[in-house]
Amino acid sequence: MSTSSTAWETLLTPKEIQAYGQLFNSVSTSTPGIITGQEAVRFFATSGVPNEILSEIWEAADKNNCGYLTPETFSLALKLIACAQHGREVSEPVFATVVPLPQFENTPLDTAASVVKSPPSAVDTITLEEREMYMSIFCAQDPKRTTMDAEIAKNILMKSKLPTDTLGQIWQLANGRQTGNLNTTEFVIAMHYVAKLMNGTLKALPAQLPPHIYAAASGTVPKEILPSLTSPHPMHSRVATPVHRNMTPPQRARTIDSLGSMAFASTATPAAHQWEITAQERAHSDGIFDQLDTHRVGILQGKEAVEFFKNSKLPDSELAAIWDMADTRRSGQLTREEFTIAMHLIQKRLTGDLLATDVPTGFATDMVNSPIVMPRFVSSVAPTSDPFMSAQDEDLLGEFGDEEQLTNDTNQVNQLQNQMAALQEASADVKARKEAKEKVLVQIMEQKQSVLEQTVQLQHSRDTELKTLKALEAVVEEEKPEWLQTQQEHDGAQQQLDVLQQEIDQLKQTFEEGQTENNRLRRQVATIQGEAAQCTRQLEKIRLKTLWTASGPGHTTTGVSSSESET
């Protein structure tokens, strides 16, 4: 995963960023930078989360239907898986949901460089027998409840005589939901560690709950990982394979699932007396057989029959035991009579009765004309006494010795119903979130369509404007020569104008200088004329004075004449 911080990474804790990065690098082996669909399916299957929920998680993560996961979408899927494992509600934004790290089978988060395929050791394994025993203790308290109060769980765990701090650590390991109670899976985990510490096979508690312990406690560990959980009988291995694998086309599988859902909805009531198959049961079974036997050969193949029986929600081990009792010919196939026997056994188990281990000989051939006496079932009455209050032994697991077969199957139906209810509730929640996301997707698609239409209109407008622009460019090209000629004429006229303007400026300057000089000369002329007139007046005065002074009155005329003559 990229080391640069992105928007979605900022919502994760540093521990989550490191763990998700390790897991991504571990799973992404074929194509760098992505996780293919096959890689994701194989890896997510080790989480212990039911396939239905994993399918919803994949759809939420790969919402663009790319068929692969990027670091972001892979981290989103891990966050959702963690919420499913620990029973947490998903908040918005999803990356900000506070939940412990997801857990995967044989993939410790601190050493996630490679996915280990080797099975866990026997010490660190919860076998089917151990799980059923712990669940029997759980249901013995109150078969109708899906959780156990902290006080009740404390009283049970305290009987182990383990130190209080050790029991506190066990509680923290088991109570992944961080609530004040334990569900069946969490109780099984707690009892597992208590039992291992009591018998000395486990010396110290792990710092973090191993993923395969959670998977085994929830009943989702594959049989190839825990071979010790599988019956050594050859028929068990033969039946277990189709129980876990869907080997029919999707349409056929959906048909079988639909028939199974209807068949195991208590439409036919098992016989109440003599453990025999009633006519009603036989008719009901024959009708289902005819719908499954599409080729009308009178035989159902093992894979189709087992796929159908899976809809009963019984554990695989019980389905294997029922198969062994019904398949009297040991052929891996079921005749009509053998199918009816299997249906009767499943219906009896669903009503709360326990399977017996003995099978009457010849009962398959007697079915055709007479009721069949089936192997006796043991009534599943919940124990009313405290399993830990034996007067002889106060040990926590002391009462599960000689009566292990009885306690292994006590109240199994109630447990399965509780688990089914929890899964149905979780599935409904995921379905509701899916529908909400689909509504958002529809709105986004409508907005996308509107944007596309607007884009088409804009493209059309752009094309129109582009055509107009090209037409104008053509006109400009046509007018360009004339424009250039006009430009040249303009430049020539401008030059002539500039020359004339210069000449005008020079003439104006010369004119202004002439005017200035003319004004100056006029002022000088006026000044000279004024001075001349003044001088003339002065001269006249002097002359007259001279005449009067020199000649007296008798020489006036002469003086004047002489003066005029001089003048």
Side-chain angles (χ1 to χ4, degrees), residues 317-341:
S317 58
E318 294 185 2
L319 289 177
I322 291 174
W323 180 278
D324 289 343
M325 286 187 285
D327 185 14
T328 58
R329 299 174 299 115
R330 297 296 185 266
S331 62
Q333 302 170 331
L334 294 182
T335 63
R336 182 183 298 271
E337 292 73 25
E338 291 171 337
F339 179 80
T340 301
I341 294 172

mmCIF file with all atom_site columns, all heavy atoms in Angstrom, residues 317-341:
data_model
loop_
_atom_site.group_PDB
_atom_site.id
_atom_site.type_symbol
_atom_site.label_atom_id
_atom_site.label_alt_id
_atom_site.label_comp_id
_atom_site.label_asym_id
_atom_site.label_entity_id
_atom_site.label_seq_id
_atom_site.pdbx_PDB_ins_code
_atom_site.Cartn_x
_atom_site.Cartn_y
_atom_site.Cartn_z
_atom_site.occupancy
_atom_site.B_iso_or_equiv
_atom_site.pdbx_formal_charge
_atom_site.auth_seq_id
_atom_site.auth_comp_id
_atom_site.auth_asym_id
_atom_site.auth_atom_id
_atom_site.pdbx_PDB_model_num
ATOM 1   N N   . SER A 1 317 ? -21.490 -32.257 10.861 1.00 0.00 ? 317 SER A N   1
ATOM 2   C CA  . SER A 1 317 ? -21.255 -33.558 11.493 1.00 0.00 ? 317 SER A CA  1
ATOM 3   C C   . SER A 1 317 ? -22.565 -34.332 11.644 1.00 0.00 ? 317 SER A C   1
ATOM 4   O O   . SER A 1 317 ? -22.587 -35.557 11.453 1.00 0.00 ? 317 SER A O   1
ATOM 5   C CB  . SER A 1 317 ? -20.596 -33.347 12.861 1.00 0.00 ? 317 SER A CB  1
ATOM 6   O OG  . SER A 1 317 ? -21.415 -32.534 13.693 1.00 0.00 ? 317 SER A OG  1
ATOM 7   N N   . GLU A 1 318 ? -23.646 -33.631 11.972 1.00 0.00 ? 318 GLU A N   1
ATOM 8   C CA  . GLU A 1 318 ? -24.928 -34.311 12.116 1.00 0.00 ? 318 GLU A CA  1
ATOM 9   C C   . GLU A 1 318 ? -25.484 -34.734 10.760 1.00 0.00 ? 318 GLU A C   1
ATOM 10  O O   . GLU A 1 318 ? -26.061 -35.808 10.629 1.00 0.00 ? 318 GLU A O   1
ATOM 11  C CB  . GLU A 1 318 ? -25.922 -33.402 12.835 1.00 0.00 ? 318 GLU A CB  1
ATOM 12  C CG  . GLU A 1 318 ? -25.532 -33.121 14.271 1.00 0.00 ? 318 GLU A CG  1
ATOM 13  C CD  . GLU A 1 318 ? -26.593 -32.329 15.010 1.00 0.00 ? 318 GLU A CD  1
ATOM 14  O OE1 . GLU A 1 318 ? -27.648 -32.040 14.414 1.00 0.00 ? 318 GLU A OE1 1
ATOM 15  O OE2 . GLU A 1 318 ? -26.363 -32.022 16.173 1.00 0.00 ? 318 GLU A OE2 1
ATOM 16  N N   . LEU A 1 319 ? -25.298 -33.900 9.756  1.00 0.00 ? 319 LEU A N   1
ATOM 17  C CA  . LEU A 1 319 ? -25.731 -34.293 8.411  1.00 0.00 ? 319 LEU A CA  1
ATOM 18  C C   . LEU A 1 319 ? -24.966 -35.516 7.937  1.00 0.00 ? 319 LEU A C   1
ATOM 19  O O   . LEU A 1 319 ? -25.518 -36.397 7.259  1.00 0.00 ? 319 LEU A O   1
ATOM 20  C CB  . LEU A 1 319 ? -25.534 -33.130 7.439  1.00 0.00 ? 319 LEU A CB  1
ATOM 21  C CG  . LEU A 1 319 ? -26.473 -31.932 7.603  1.00 0.00 ? 319 LEU A CG  1
ATOM 22  C CD1 . LEU A 1 319 ? -26.104 -30.835 6.613  1.00 0.00 ? 319 LEU A CD1 1
ATOM 23  C CD2 . LEU A 1 319 ? -27.922 -32.343 7.413  1.00 0.00 ? 319 LEU A CD2 1
ATOM 24  N N   . ALA A 1 320 ? -23.679 -35.589 8.279  1.00 0.00 ? 320 ALA A N   1
ATOM 25  C CA  . ALA A 1 320 ? -22.896 -36.762 7.905  1.00 0.00 ? 320 ALA A CA  1
ATOM 26  C C   . ALA A 1 320 ? -23.423 -38.009 8.595  1.00 0.00 ? 320 ALA A C   1
ATOM 27  O O   . ALA A 1 320 ? -23.520 -39.085 7.990  1.00 0.00 ? 320 ALA A O   1
ATOM 28  C CB  . ALA A 1 320 ? -21.426 -36.535 8.252  1.00 0.00 ? 320 ALA A CB  1
ATOM 29  N N   . ALA A 1 321 ? -23.773 -37.895 9.874  1.00 0.00 ? 321 ALA A N   1
ATOM 30  C CA  . ALA A 1 321 ? -24.315 -39.045 10.601 1.00 0.00 ? 321 ALA A CA  1
ATOM 31  C C   . ALA A 1 321 ? -25.659 -39.472 10.020 1.00 0.00 ? 321 ALA A C   1
ATOM 32  O O   . ALA A 1 321 ? -25.937 -40.672 9.878  1.00 0.00 ? 321 ALA A O   1
ATOM 33  C CB  . ALA A 1 321 ? -24.459 -38.691 12.085 1.00 0.00 ? 321 ALA A CB  1
ATOM 34  N N   . ILE A 1 322 ? -26.509 -38.511 9.684  1.00 0.00 ? 322 ILE A N   1
ATOM 35  C CA  . ILE A 1 322 ? -27.807 -38.824 9.070  1.00 0.00 ? 322 ILE A CA  1
ATOM 36  C C   . ILE A 1 322 ? -27.607 -39.498 7.730  1.00 0.00 ? 322 ILE A C   1
ATOM 37  O O   . ILE A 1 322 ? -28.308 -40.458 7.372  1.00 0.00 ? 322 ILE A O   1
ATOM 38  C CB  . ILE A 1 322 ? -28.642 -37.540 8.941  1.00 0.00 ? 322 ILE A CB  1
ATOM 39  C CG1 . ILE A 1 322 ? -29.070 -37.052 10.331 1.00 0.00 ? 322 ILE A CG1 1
ATOM 40  C CG2 . ILE A 1 322 ? -29.859 -37.767 8.049  1.00 0.00 ? 322 ILE A CG2 1
ATOM 41  C CD1 . ILE A 1 322 ? -29.768 -35.709 10.328 1.00 0.00 ? 322 ILE A CD1 1
ATOM 42  N N   . TRP A 1 323 ? -26.617 -39.010 6.965  1.00 0.00 ? 323 TRP A N   1
ATOM 43  C CA  . TRP A 1 323 ? -26.339 -39.639 5.666  1.00 0.00 ? 323 TRP A CA  1
ATOM 44  C C   . TRP A 1 323 ? -25.944 -41.106 5.858  1.00 0.00 ? 323 TRP A C   1
ATOM 45  O O   . TRP A 1 323 ? -26.390 -41.975 5.111  1.00 0.00 ? 323 TRP A O   1
ATOM 46  C CB  . TRP A 1 323 ? -25.238 -38.870 4.955  1.00 0.00 ? 323 TRP A CB  1
ATOM 47  C CG  . TRP A 1 323 ? -24.882 -39.451 3.608  1.00 0.00 ? 323 TRP A CG  1
ATOM 48  C CD1 . TRP A 1 323 ? -24.060 -40.508 3.357  1.00 0.00 ? 323 TRP A CD1 1
ATOM 49  C CD2 . TRP A 1 323 ? -25.376 -39.040 2.336  1.00 0.00 ? 323 TRP A CD2 1
ATOM 50  N NE1 . TRP A 1 323 ? -23.996 -40.774 2.022  1.00 0.00 ? 323 TRP A NE1 1
ATOM 51  C CE2 . TRP A 1 323 ? -24.793 -39.891 1.371  1.00 0.00 ? 323 TRP A CE2 1
ATOM 52  C CE3 . TRP A 1 323 ? -26.237 -38.030 1.936  1.00 0.00 ? 323 TRP A CE3 1
ATOM 53  C CZ2 . TRP A 1 323 ? -25.053 -39.737 0.008  1.00 0.00 ? 323 TRP A CZ2 1
ATOM 54  C CZ3 . TRP A 1 323 ? -26.491 -37.884 0.577  1.00 0.00 ? 323 TRP A CZ3 1
ATOM 55  C CH2 . TRP A 1 323 ? -25.911 -38.734 -0.378 1.00 0.00 ? 323 TRP A CH2 1
ATOM 56  N N   . ASP A 1 324 ? -25.083 -41.360 6.851  1.00 0.00 ? 324 ASP A N   1
ATOM 57  C CA  . ASP A 1 324 ? -24.637 -42.728 7.076  1.00 0.00 ? 324 ASP A CA  1
ATOM 58  C C   . ASP A 1 324 ? -25.802 -43.653 7.410  1.00 0.00 ? 324 ASP A C   1
ATOM 59  O O   . ASP A 1 324 ? -25.839 -44.818 6.991  1.00 0.00 ? 324 ASP A O   1
ATOM 60  C CB  . ASP A 1 324 ? -23.615 -42.760 8.211  1.00 0.00 ? 324 ASP A CB  1
ATOM 61  C CG  . ASP A 1 324 ? -22.291 -42.148 7.804  1.00 0.00 ? 324 ASP A CG  1
ATOM 62  O OD1 . ASP A 1 324 ? -22.046 -42.006 6.591  1.00 0.00 ? 324 ASP A OD1 1
ATOM 63  O OD2 . ASP A 1 324 ? -21.496 -41.798 8.695  1.00 0.00 ? 324 ASP A OD2 1
ATOM 64  N N   . MET A 1 325 ? -26.775 -43.149 8.174  1.00 0.00 ? 325 MET A N   1
ATOM 65  C CA  . MET A 1 325 ? -27.926 -43.981 8.534  1.00 0.00 ? 325 MET A CA  1
ATOM 66  C C   . MET A 1 325 ? -28.885 -44.153 7.357  1.00 0.00 ? 325 MET A C   1
ATOM 67  O O   . MET A 1 325 ? -29.509 -45.193 7.209  1.00 0.00 ? 325 MET A O   1
ATOM 68  C CB  . MET A 1 325 ? -28.654 -43.364 9.737  1.00 0.00 ? 325 MET A CB  1
ATOM 69  C CG  . MET A 1 325 ? -27.913 -43.545 11.047 1.00 0.00 ? 325 MET A CG  1
ATOM 70  S SD  . MET A 1 325 ? -28.862 -42.982 12.492 1.00 0.00 ? 325 MET A SD  1
ATOM 71  C CE  . MET A 1 325 ? -28.695 -41.228 12.322 1.00 0.00 ? 325 MET A CE  1
ATOM 72  N N   . ALA A 1 326 ? -29.004 -43.114 6.511  1.00 0.00 ? 326 ALA A N   1
ATOM 73  C CA  . ALA A 1 326 ? -29.959 -43.193 5.401  1.00 0.00 ? 326 ALA A CA  1
ATOM 74  C C   . ALA A 1 326 ? -29.395 -43.971 4.214  1.00 0.00 ? 326 ALA A C   1
ATOM 75  O O   . ALA A 1 326 ? -30.111 -44.746 3.565  1.00 0.00 ? 326 ALA A O   1
ATOM 76  C CB  . ALA A 1 326 ? -30.351 -41.780 4.968  1.00 0.00 ? 326 ALA A CB  1
ATOM 77  N N   . ASP A 1 327 ? -28.115 -43.790 3.920  1.00 0.00 ? 327 ASP A N   1
ATOM 78  C CA  . ASP A 1 327 ? -27.507 -44.450 2.758  1.00 0.00 ? 327 ASP A CA  1
ATOM 79  C C   . ASP A 1 327 ? -27.164 -45.890 3.127  1.00 0.00 ? 327 ASP A C   1
ATOM 80  O O   . ASP A 1 327 ? -26.001 -46.259 3.319  1.00 0.00 ? 327 ASP A O   1
ATOM 81  C CB  . ASP A 1 327 ? -26.256 -43.689 2.336  1.00 0.00 ? 327 ASP A CB  1
ATOM 82  C CG  . ASP A 1 327 ? -25.645 -44.244 1.054  1.00 0.00 ? 327 ASP A CG  1
ATOM 83  O OD1 . ASP A 1 327 ? -26.326 -45.026 0.364  1.00 0.00 ? 327 ASP A OD1 1
ATOM 84  O OD2 . ASP A 1 327 ? -24.486 -43.907 0.760  1.00 0.00 ? 327 ASP A OD2 1
ATOM 85  N N   . THR A 1 328 ? -28.195 -46.712 3.196  1.00 0.00 ? 328 THR A N   1
ATOM 86  C CA  . THR A 1 328 ? -28.013 -48.100 3.638  1.00 0.00 ? 328 THR A CA  1
ATOM 87  C C   . THR A 1 328 ? -27.208 -48.924 2.643  1.00 0.00 ? 328 THR A C   1
ATOM 88  O O   . THR A 1 328 ? -26.592 -49.920 3.013  1.00 0.00 ? 328 THR A O   1
ATOM 89  C CB  . THR A 1 328 ? -29.383 -48.755 3.847  1.00 0.00 ? 328 THR A CB  1
ATOM 90  O OG1 . THR A 1 328 ? -30.135 -48.690 2.626  1.00 0.00 ? 328 THR A OG1 1
ATOM 91  C CG2 . THR A 1 328 ? -30.149 -48.041 4.958  1.00 0.00 ? 328 THR A CG2 1
ATOM 92  N N   . ARG A 1 329 ? -27.219 -48.507 1.367  1.00 0.00 ? 329 ARG A N   1
ATOM 93  C CA  . ARG A 1 329 ? -26.491 -49.281 0.342  1.00 0.00 ? 329 ARG A CA  1
ATOM 94  C C   . ARG A 1 329 ? -25.034 -48.838 0.219  1.00 0.00 ? 329 ARG A C   1
ATOM 95  O O   . ARG A 1 329 ? -24.274 -49.420 -0.542 1.00 0.00 ? 329 ARG A O   1
ATOM 96  C CB  . ARG A 1 329 ? -27.191 -49.120 -1.009 1.00 0.00 ? 329 ARG A CB  1
ATOM 97  C CG  . ARG A 1 329 ? -28.620 -49.637 -1.028 1.00 0.00 ? 329 ARG A CG  1
ATOM 98  C CD  . ARG A 1 329 ? -29.326 -49.335 -2.343 1.00 0.00 ? 329 ARG A CD  1
ATOM 99  N NE  . ARG A 1 329 ? -29.401 -47.891 -2.580 1.00 0.00 ? 329 ARG A NE  1
ATOM 100 C CZ  . ARG A 1 329 ? -28.774 -47.267 -3.582 1.00 0.00 ? 329 ARG A CZ  1
ATOM 101 N NH1 . ARG A 1 329 ? -28.040 -47.960 -4.417 1.00 0.00 ? 329 ARG A NH1 1
ATOM 102 N NH2 . ARG A 1 329 ? -28.891 -45.966 -3.730 1.00 0.00 ? 329 ARG A NH2 1
ATOM 103 N N   . ARG A 1 330 ? -24.663 -47.753 0.944  1.00 0.00 ? 330 ARG A N   1
ATOM 104 C CA  . ARG A 1 330 ? -23.313 -47.209 0.882  1.00 0.00 ? 330 ARG A CA  1
ATOM 105 C C   . ARG A 1 330 ? -22.894 -46.934 -0.560 1.00 0.00 ? 330 ARG A C   1
ATOM 106 O O   . ARG A 1 330 ? -21.787 -47.232 -0.990 1.00 0.00 ? 330 ARG A O   1
ATOM 107 C CB  . ARG A 1 330 ? -22.301 -48.179 1.536  1.00 0.00 ? 330 ARG A CB  1
ATOM 108 C CG  . ARG A 1 330 ? -22.550 -48.417 3.007  1.00 0.00 ? 330 ARG A CG  1
ATOM 109 C CD  . ARG A 1 330 ? -22.356 -47.117 3.788  1.00 0.00 ? 330 ARG A CD  1
ATOM 110 N NE  . ARG A 1 330 ? -22.461 -47.303 5.225  1.00 0.00 ? 330 ARG A NE  1
ATOM 111 C CZ  . ARG A 1 330 ? -23.569 -47.127 5.915  1.00 0.00 ? 330 ARG A CZ  1
ATOM 112 N NH1 . ARG A 1 330 ? -24.683 -46.782 5.298  1.00 0.00 ? 330 ARG A NH1 1
ATOM 113 N NH2 . ARG A 1 330 ? -23.598 -47.311 7.216  1.00 0.00 ? 330 ARG A NH2 1
ATOM 114 N N   . SER A 1 331 ? -23.812 -46.288 -1.314 1.00 0.00 ? 331 SER A N   1
ATOM 115 C CA  . SER A 1 331 ? -23.560 -46.037 -2.741 1.00 0.00 ? 331 SER A CA  1
ATOM 116 C C   . SER A 1 331 ? -23.220 -44.583 -3.033 1.00 0.00 ? 331 SER A C   1
ATOM 117 O O   . SER A 1 331 ? -22.848 -44.250 -4.159 1.00 0.00 ? 331 SER A O   1
ATOM 118 C CB  . SER A 1 331 ? -24.806 -46.425 -3.551 1.00 0.00 ? 331 SER A CB  1
ATOM 119 O OG  . SER A 1 331 ? -25.915 -45.618 -3.166 1.00 0.00 ? 331 SER A OG  1
ATOM 120 N N   . GLY A 1 332 ? -23.348 -43.714 -2.060 1.00 0.00 ? 332 GLY A N   1
ATOM 121 C CA  . GLY A 1 332 ? -23.135 -42.290 -2.320 1.00 0.00 ? 332 GLY A CA  1
ATOM 122 C C   . GLY A 1 332 ? -24.321 -41.652 -3.001 1.00 0.00 ? 332 GLY A C   1
ATOM 123 O O   . GLY A 1 332 ? -24.258 -40.490 -3.409 1.00 0.00 ? 332 GLY A O   1
ATOM 124 N N   . GLN A 1 333 ? -25.422 -42.400 -3.128 1.00 0.00 ? 333 GLN A N   1
ATOM 125 C CA  . GLN A 1 333 ? -26.663 -41.908 -3.726 1.00 0.00 ? 333 GLN A CA  1
ATOM 126 C C   . GLN A 1 333 ? -27.821 -42.289 -2.806 1.00 0.00 ? 333 GLN A C   1
ATOM 127 O O   . GLN A 1 333 ? -27.673 -43.141 -1.920 1.00 0.00 ? 333 GLN A O   1
ATOM 128 C CB  . GLN A 1 333 ? -26.876 -42.514 -5.120 1.00 0.00 ? 333 GLN A CB  1
ATOM 129 C CG  . GLN A 1 333 ? -25.738 -42.238 -6.095 1.00 0.00 ? 333 GLN A CG  1
ATOM 130 C CD  . GLN A 1 333 ? -25.890 -43.063 -7.361 1.00 0.00 ? 333 GLN A CD  1
ATOM 131 O OE1 . GLN A 1 333 ? -26.462 -44.159 -7.338 1.00 0.00 ? 333 GLN A OE1 1
ATOM 132 N NE2 . GLN A 1 333 ? -25.354 -42.530 -8.459 1.00 0.00 ? 333 GLN A NE2 1
ATOM 133 N N   . LEU A 1 334 ? -28.983 -41.662 -3.041 1.00 0.00 ? 334 LEU A N   1
ATOM 134 C CA  . LEU A 1 334 ? -30.150 -41.953 -2.230 1.00 0.00 ? 334 LEU A CA  1
ATOM 135 C C   . LEU A 1 334 ? -31.307 -42.374 -3.116 1.00 0.00 ? 334 LEU A C   1
ATOM 136 O O   . LEU A 1 334 ? -31.634 -41.681 -4.098 1.00 0.00 ? 334 LEU A O   1
ATOM 137 C CB  . LEU A 1 334 ? -30.557 -40.734 -1.393 1.00 0.00 ? 334 LEU A CB  1
ATOM 138 C CG  . LEU A 1 334 ? -29.601 -40.272 -0.295 1.00 0.00 ? 334 LEU A CG  1
ATOM 139 C CD1 . LEU A 1 334 ? -30.194 -39.081 0.445  1.00 0.00 ? 334 LEU A CD1 1
ATOM 140 C CD2 . LEU A 1 334 ? -29.270 -41.398 0.661  1.00 0.00 ? 334 LEU A CD2 1
ATOM 141 N N   . THR A 1 335 ? -31.909 -43.504 -2.763 1.00 0.00 ? 335 THR A N   1
ATOM 142 C CA  . THR A 1 335 ? -33.154 -43.887 -3.410 1.00 0.00 ? 335 THR A CA  1
ATOM 143 C C   . THR A 1 335 ? -34.296 -43.112 -2.773 1.00 0.00 ? 335 THR A C   1
ATOM 144 O O   . THR A 1 335 ? -34.102 -42.345 -1.816 1.00 0.00 ? 335 THR A O   1
ATOM 145 C CB  . THR A 1 335 ? -33.394 -45.397 -3.254 1.00 0.00 ? 335 THR A CB  1
ATOM 146 O OG1 . THR A 1 335 ? -33.539 -45.682 -1.857 1.00 0.00 ? 335 THR A OG1 1
ATOM 147 C CG2 . THR A 1 335 ? -32.222 -46.200 -3.810 1.00 0.00 ? 335 THR A CG2 1
ATOM 148 N N   . ARG A 1 336 ? -35.517 -43.320 -3.292 1.00 0.00 ? 336 ARG A N   1
ATOM 149 C CA  . ARG A 1 336 ? -36.670 -42.637 -2.734 1.00 0.00 ? 336 ARG A CA  1
ATOM 150 C C   . ARG A 1 336 ? -36.856 -43.001 -1.261 1.00 0.00 ? 336 ARG A C   1
ATOM 151 O O   . ARG A 1 336 ? -37.136 -42.132 -0.422 1.00 0.00 ? 336 ARG A O   1
ATOM 152 C CB  . ARG A 1 336 ? -37.920 -43.007 -3.545 1.00 0.00 ? 336 ARG A CB  1
ATOM 153 C CG  . ARG A 1 336 ? -39.190 -42.300 -3.074 1.00 0.00 ? 336 ARG A CG  1
ATOM 154 C CD  . ARG A 1 336 ? -40.381 -42.778 -3.893 1.00 0.00 ? 336 ARG A CD  1
ATOM 155 N NE  . ARG A 1 336 ? -40.206 -42.433 -5.310 1.00 0.00 ? 336 ARG A NE  1
ATOM 156 C CZ  . ARG A 1 336 ? -40.597 -41.288 -5.857 1.00 0.00 ? 336 ARG A CZ  1
ATOM 157 N NH1 . ARG A 1 336 ? -41.197 -40.377 -5.111 1.00 0.00 ? 336 ARG A NH1 1
ATOM 158 N NH2 . ARG A 1 336 ? -40.414 -41.064 -7.139 1.00 0.00 ? 336 ARG A NH2 1
ATOM 159 N N   . GLU A 1 337 ? -36.687 -44.296 -0.929 1.00 0.00 ? 337 GLU A N   1
ATOM 160 C CA  . GLU A 1 337 ? -36.874 -44.736 0.442  1.00 0.00 ? 337 GLU A CA  1
ATOM 161 C C   . GLU A 1 337 ? -35.768 -44.174 1.349  1.00 0.00 ? 337 GLU A C   1
ATOM 162 O O   . GLU A 1 337 ? -36.026 -43.731 2.479  1.00 0.00 ? 337 GLU A O   1
ATOM 163 C CB  . GLU A 1 337 ? -36.882 -46.273 0.522  1.00 0.00 ? 337 GLU A CB  1
ATOM 164 C CG  . GLU A 1 337 ? -38.093 -46.931 -0.124 1.00 0.00 ? 337 GLU A CG  1
ATOM 165 C CD  . GLU A 1 337 ? -38.014 -46.874 -1.656 1.00 0.00 ? 337 GLU A CD  1
ATOM 166 O OE1 . GLU A 1 337 ? -36.887 -46.780 -2.183 1.00 0.00 ? 337 GLU A OE1 1
ATOM 167 O OE2 . GLU A 1 337 ? -39.072 -46.913 -2.296 1.00 0.00 ? 337 GLU A OE2 1
ATOM 168 N N   . GLU A 1 338 ? -34.525 -44.170 0.856  1.00 0.00 ? 338 GLU A N   1
ATOM 169 C CA  . GLU A 1 338 ? -33.417 -43.650 1.660  1.00 0.00 ? 338 GLU A CA  1
ATOM 170 C C   . GLU A 1 338 ? -33.561 -42.145 1.867  1.00 0.00 ? 338 GLU A C   1
ATOM 171 O O   . GLU A 1 338 ? -33.251 -41.612 2.949  1.00 0.00 ? 338 GLU A O   1
ATOM 172 C CB  . GLU A 1 338 ? -32.091 -43.970 0.967  1.00 0.00 ? 338 GLU A CB  1
ATOM 173 C CG  . GLU A 1 338 ? -31.748 -45.461 0.973  1.00 0.00 ? 338 GLU A CG  1
ATOM 174 C CD  . GLU A 1 338 ? -30.550 -45.766 0.107  1.00 0.00 ? 338 GLU A CD  1
ATOM 175 O OE1 . GLU A 1 338 ? -30.262 -44.967 -0.815 1.00 0.00 ? 338 GLU A OE1 1
ATOM 176 O OE2 . GLU A 1 338 ? -29.896 -46.795 0.328  1.00 0.00 ? 338 GLU A OE2 1
ATOM 177 N N   . PHE A 1 339 ? -34.060 -41.452 0.862  1.00 0.00 ? 339 PHE A N   1
ATOM 178 C CA  . PHE A 1 339 ? -34.288 -40.013 0.991  1.00 0.00 ? 339 PHE A CA  1
ATOM 179 C C   . PHE A 1 339 ? -35.362 -39.742 2.049  1.00 0.00 ? 339 PHE A C   1
ATOM 180 O O   . PHE A 1 339 ? -35.251 -38.802 2.852  1.00 0.00 ? 339 PHE A O   1
ATOM 181 C CB  . PHE A 1 339 ? -34.714 -39.433 -0.358 1.00 0.00 ? 339 PHE A CB  1
ATOM 182 C CG  . PHE A 1 339 ? -35.000 -37.958 -0.316 1.00 0.00 ? 339 PHE A CG  1
ATOM 183 C CD1 . PHE A 1 339 ? -33.966 -37.036 -0.346 1.00 0.00 ? 339 PHE A CD1 1
ATOM 184 C CD2 . PHE A 1 339 ? -36.299 -37.486 -0.248 1.00 0.00 ? 339 PHE A CD2 1
ATOM 185 C CE1 . PHE A 1 339 ? -34.217 -35.678 -0.309 1.00 0.00 ? 339 PHE A CE1 1
ATOM 186 C CE2 . PHE A 1 339 ? -36.558 -36.140 -0.210 1.00 0.00 ? 339 PHE A CE2 1
ATOM 187 C CZ  . PHE A 1 339 ? -35.519 -35.230 -0.237 1.00 0.00 ? 339 PHE A CZ  1
ATOM 188 N N   . THR A 1 340 ? -36.412 -40.589 2.087  1.00 0.00 ? 340 THR A N   1
ATOM 189 C CA  . THR A 1 340 ? -37.467 -40.419 3.081  1.00 0.00 ? 340 THR A CA  1
ATOM 190 C C   . THR A 1 340 ? -36.911 -40.632 4.483  1.00 0.00 ? 340 THR A C   1
ATOM 191 O O   . THR A 1 340 ? -37.269 -39.908 5.435  1.00 0.00 ? 340 THR A O   1
ATOM 192 C CB  . THR A 1 340 ? -38.611 -41.404 2.808  1.00 0.00 ? 340 THR A CB  1
ATOM 193 O OG1 . THR A 1 340 ? -39.129 -41.166 1.494  1.00 0.00 ? 340 THR A OG1 1
ATOM 194 C CG2 . THR A 1 340 ? -39.728 -41.247 3.820  1.00 0.00 ? 340 THR A CG2 1
ATOM 195 N N   . ILE A 1 341 ? -36.015 -41.626 4.625  1.00 0.00 ? 341 ILE A N   1
ATOM 196 C CA  . ILE A 1 341 ? -35.399 -41.867 5.930  1.00 0.00 ? 341 ILE A CA  1
ATOM 197 C C   . ILE A 1 341 ? -34.592 -40.651 6.367  1.00 0.00 ? 341 ILE A C   1
ATOM 198 O O   . ILE A 1 341 ? -34.684 -40.194 7.515  1.00 0.00 ? 341 ILE A O   1
ATOM 199 C CB  . ILE A 1 341 ? -34.505 -43.123 5.867  1.00 0.00 ? 341 ILE A CB  1
ATOM 200 C CG1 . ILE A 1 341 ? -35.372 -44.374 5.632  1.00 0.00 ? 341 ILE A CG1 1
ATOM 201 C CG2 . ILE A 1 341 ? -33.688 -43.276 7.152  1.00 0.00 ? 341 ILE A CG2 1
ATOM 202 C CD1 . ILE A 1 341 ? -34.570 -45.619 5.369  1.00 0.00 ? 341 ILE A CD1 1
#
